[in-house]
Amino acid sequence: MPVEFLTDEQAAAYGTFGEVPTRPELERFFFLDDDDRDLIALRRSDGHRLGMALQICTVRYIGTFLGDDPLAVPWEVVDYLAGQLGIEDASCVKSYAERRMTPYNHAQEIRERFGYHDYGDRKWSREFRTFLYGRAWTHAEGPVALFNHAVTWLRRHRVLLPGVSVLARQVSEARTVAERRLYESVAKATHKADRTLAPALVGLLERPEGKRVSELERLRMTDPQTAQASDADDVERHPCPRCHAQPGSPCRSRSGAVAGTYHTGRFTKVPRLAKLLRVPTPADRGPGQPWRPGTPIPAPVDPDTPSTDIRIGYARCSTLGQELDSQLDALAAKNIPRDKIFAEKISTRVRVRPKFEAALAAAREIKAHAPHCRVIFTVYEMKRLGRDAAELTALADHLAAHGLVLEMLAGPLAGIYDPTGHGRLLFAFFAAMAETERENIRESTLEGLDAAARKGKHGGRPPVITDDMLHTVLRRRANGETVEQIQPDLIIPTGRRKGQNPSLSSIYRALAEHEKQQTYPDAVAQAHADFAALQSAGSIPGQMAGSMVS
């Protein structure tokens, strides 16, 4: 498979010294510790000692051995290592490659001594694929960035780098699986939000007869602020004399579905369409789907009535540790008074958000008292409203039904939201994307917790009774003291109760747990072993690491 996303220079630099290491890199990767020196000291000649040092540091720095030419390293590296070994003439390293098998034998010895693994090792190959597929799913990175992260992971875990085409193929496959999973997630979310959304999106890609570009391309090239109303919008400004559909709704067939074309008595009310034989119903209206009334068109306002824009701002973040300053500053830049900005720190998973409900109520009340004014509900981006596709779509319909205007200051749909035509279609699509992003964040968090658990790092509060405190209690109890006498001398070292004395119940619980472990040591060890086996096999409910491996 060709390395399509790497340039020729990047592919050629893979697994080699692309440039001279910097001073910090020399001190980090080319410093010889005691273990290195013990292995190097087994060589007899200075050339072999220096060559062995080059092999040790090369695989540590670039992740592989220089098999064909073990001396293809910058001379600055040779001088740095020679200085550490006390070798005055660094040119003696040229004798290292005189016998062809010497570098290969030394490489095998280094692998066994320092625990390097082959890329084809089943255990490490599985671990690497888990990392690679998880990274491709949870990070929006290009192929080159993912390739570099893969190289870093292999070096850190002492897995020898494979050929450049092999690793590039793994990266491409991981991104393909992640993209397929993303498409499936978006399709599921869009279907949940609106069943007519998927065919409507496909309809945007088709080029209408007699047109030079598709509808999607036309939308990309058209300024939404100056775009003229579509034929369907003009037709739906009038009621239908045949099916009695009200303005804002498509025509209805006798079977109760959305008609495939508008009735003649309706579209002939539009002068520029009066001579046409038929006007088809757009795909975003869902022709053939069960008919439901659309958003009523607001009644016209007397042009002599003074009008103005009134904005209600809403800002939200999910946790107490996050800040609202950037959102508040963006809303203030729209000249929204502070008393009309409603802010709260609450998750979108909470169904009832007090400040959000208060903002909606304020907007509806202002619109009821000033129907001639345009009341704009302003948020920084769509995700501040919510991350559930169906909920976001229902909210947009609710705002439009009450004559309110939705405005987003950032994101893919920045500006005033148009509830008619393709605006509704695109809003539903990006709402589905927001829901998918929330699921990605959740899965990424669970995967991080699972990875930490496999390394023995468990979340939660630190233990009140540490091992040192337990040892003190056991020693003093053996000398005849009671727990009540020992308790005032114990101090909690960390956590919320740092500096206080632990409770008697905490001490007794720790003693009971210790006695249980001492009574049944084999059972405790077997339980830990069984749990570790289940983790490695991916059989624990909720464990997601294994699901990334295909």
Side-chain angles (χ1 to χ4, degrees):
M1 178 179 179
V3 188
E4 298 177 350
F5 56 83
L6 294 178
T7 64
D8 294 340
E9 293 78 8
Q10 289 172 332
Y14 172 80
T16 63
F17 282 86
E19 56 187 12
V20 178
T22 62
R23 186 68 186 183
E25 289 175 336
L26 287 174
E27 295 174 352
R28 178 182 177 186
F29 294 100
F30 297 90
F31 175 78
L32 300 175
D33 58 19
D34 293 339
D35 291 338
D36 300 333
R37 292 177 180 272
D38 290 343
L39 185 59
I40 294 171
L42 300 177
R43 311 306 120 188
R44 291 177 294 181
S45 66
D46 288 347
H48 281 201
R49 290 170 58 223
L50 188 52
M52 173 66 87
L54 284 175
Q55 291 269 64
I56 293 174
C57 297
T58 294
V59 70
R60 185 187 299 160
Y61 179 63
I62 64 176
T64 187
F65 296 100
L66 299 177
D68 295 335
D69 186 5
L71 302 181
V73 298
W75 195 252
E76 290 81 355
V77 173
V78 179
D79 276 341
Y80 185 76
L81 292 175
Q84 294 183 71
L85 296 175
I87 299 175
E88 296 181 359
D89 184 10
S91 63
C92 67
V93 74
K94 297 178 181 178
S95 63
Y96 181 66
E98 291 179 352
R99 182 175 175 272
R100 183 175 179 81
M101 292 305 298
T102 298
Y104 290 99
N105 294 337
H106 288 179
Q108 183 62 31
E109 193 173 348
I110 293 171
R111 291 172 57 178
E112 295 175 355
R113 179 68 172 267
F114 296 104
Y116 286 94
H117 314 282
D118 282 327
Y119 181 77
D121 182 273
R122 293 185 61 182
K123 175 180 179 292
W124 288 101
S125 178
R126 183 172 61 251
E127 291 284 341
F128 173 65
R129 290 201 308 272
T130 300
F131 159 77
L132 189 63
Y133 281 62
R135 180 93 192 183
W137 171 242
T138 57
H139 291 72
E141 296 172 333
V144 177
L146 183 58
F147 184 89
N148 292 335
H149 281 295
V151 172
T152 302
W153 188 94
L154 292 171
R155 285 170 46 191
R156 185 170 62 249
H157 292 82
R158 298 192 176 187
V159 179
L160 298 178
L161 296 182
V164 62
S165 60
V166 173
L167 187 57
R169 182 166 57 249
Q170 286 278 353
V171 170
S172 297
E173 291 176 357
R175 296 187 76 245
T176 300
V177 171
E179 289 174 358
R180 187 184 305 117
R181 183 179 176 187
L182 175 62
Y183 297 152
E184 293 174 354
S185 301
V186 172
K188 182 179 178 180
T190 53
H191 183 76
K192 177 183 176 182
D194 188 348
R195 294 187 177 184
T196 64
L197 182 57
L201 287 173
V202 175
L204 288 178
L205 302 177
E206 299 176 354
R207 182 170 61 86
E209 184 178 356
K211 302 291 185 180
R212 298 180 59 184
V213 295
S214 66
E215 186 64 18
L216 179 61
E217 190 66 22
R218 185 190 68 80
L219 290 173
R220 292 176 58 188
M221 296 186 300
T222 305
D223 183 1
Q225 301 298 330
T226 60
Q228 296 182 351
S230 64
D231 294 345
D233 294 336
D234 288 342
V235 173
E236 292 181 4
R237 295 183 186 278
H238 305 277
C240 181
R242 180 173 175 181
C243 65
H244 305 292
Q246 296 301 313
S249 302
C251 286
R252 177 173 49 187
S253 65
R254 292 181 178 179
S255 62
V258 178
T261 59
Y262 290 101
H263 295 135
T264 305
R266 189 179 192 184
F267 71 76
T268 52
K269 295 180 180 180
V270 181
R272 62 185 176 87
L273 304 177
K275 295 184 179 181
L276 298 180
L277 297 178
R278 60 193 299 270
V279 175
T281 303
D284 63 318
R285 265 64 167 182
Q289 299 293 327
W291 184 89
R292 56 183 179 183
T295 303
I297 297 178
V301 179
D302 187 352
D304 295 333
T305 303
S307 177
T308 185
D309 289 344
I310 302 176
R311 283 183 166 85
I312 298 295
Y314 176 70
R316 183 198 65 81
C317 62
S318 298
T319 63
L320 296 176
Q322 296 175 327
E323 295 298 334
L324 293 168
D325 293 345
S326 59
Q327 298 181 50
L328 297 176
D329 291 344
L331 294 173
K334 282 290 185 177
N335 298 321
I336 304 178
R338 187 63 186 88
D339 60 336
K340 291 183 179 179
I341 297 178
F342 297 80
E344 60 185 339
K345 295 186 178 183
I346 191 171
S347 172
T348 55
R349 293 186 180 275
V350 179
R351 290 301 179 185
V352 179
R353 288 171 275 165
K355 293 294 184 180
F356 178 68
E357 298 296 335
L360 286 178
R364 291 193 298 265
E365 184 178 356
I366 293 174
K367 186 64 178 178
H369 287 82
H372 58 283
C373 295
R374 190 170 69 157
V375 181
I376 304 175
F377 193 87
T378 306
V379 294
Y380 181 70
E381 56 183 342
M382 181 187 294
K383 293 181 289 187
R384 300 308 103 203
L385 291 173
R387 290 184 183 270
D388 184 89
E391 180 184 353
L392 284 170
T393 305
L395 172 62
D397 293 342
H398 175 83
L399 293 175
H402 287 81
L404 306 176
V405 179
L406 176 61
E407 180 184 31
M408 289 164 281
L409 304 181
L413 291 179
I416 298 294
Y417 163 60
D418 179 14
T420 62
H422 296 291
R424 175 182 174 84
L425 179 67
L426 294 176
F427 183 87
F429 173 76
F430 286 109
M433 290 292 294
E435 179 176 352
T436 303
E437 182 180 357
R438 180 178 67 179
E439 294 302 321
N440 291 352
I441 294 173
R442 178 177 178 272
E443 292 184 11
S444 176
T445 302
L446 292 177
E447 289 167 5
L449 293 174
D450 179 72
R454 291 200 304 272
K455 297 177 181 178
K457 300 178 181 178
H458 301 278
R461 293 180 298 175
V464 174
I465 306 299
T466 63
D467 292 341
D468 291 341
M469 293 168 66
L470 180 60
H471 178 74
T472 300
V473 173
L474 293 173
R475 177 175 54 81
R476 293 178 62 175
R477 284 189 73 192
N479 293 333
E481 295 185 63
T482 65
V483 173
E484 289 76 7
Q485 293 173 330
I486 302 171
Q487 185 253 354
D489 297 332
L490 301 178
I491 303 298
I492 300 176
T494 59
R496 187 176 57 184
R497 298 179 57 199
K498 179 180 179 180
Q500 301 180 19
N501 303 118
S503 64
L504 293 175
S505 58
S506 297
I507 300 175
Y508 280 118
R509 278 196 301 269
L511 289 172
E513 184 66 24
H514 174 74
E515 292 176 1
K516 186 186 300 182
Q517 293 180 359
Q518 295 299 316
T519 305
Y520 307 103
D522 296 337
V524 173
Q526 184 62 38
H528 285 298
D530 293 343
F531 182 75
L534 287 174
Q535 281 187 314
S536 61
S539 302
I540 299 176
Q543 184 174 10
M544 304 180 62
S547 64
M548 293 294 181
V549 182
S550 62

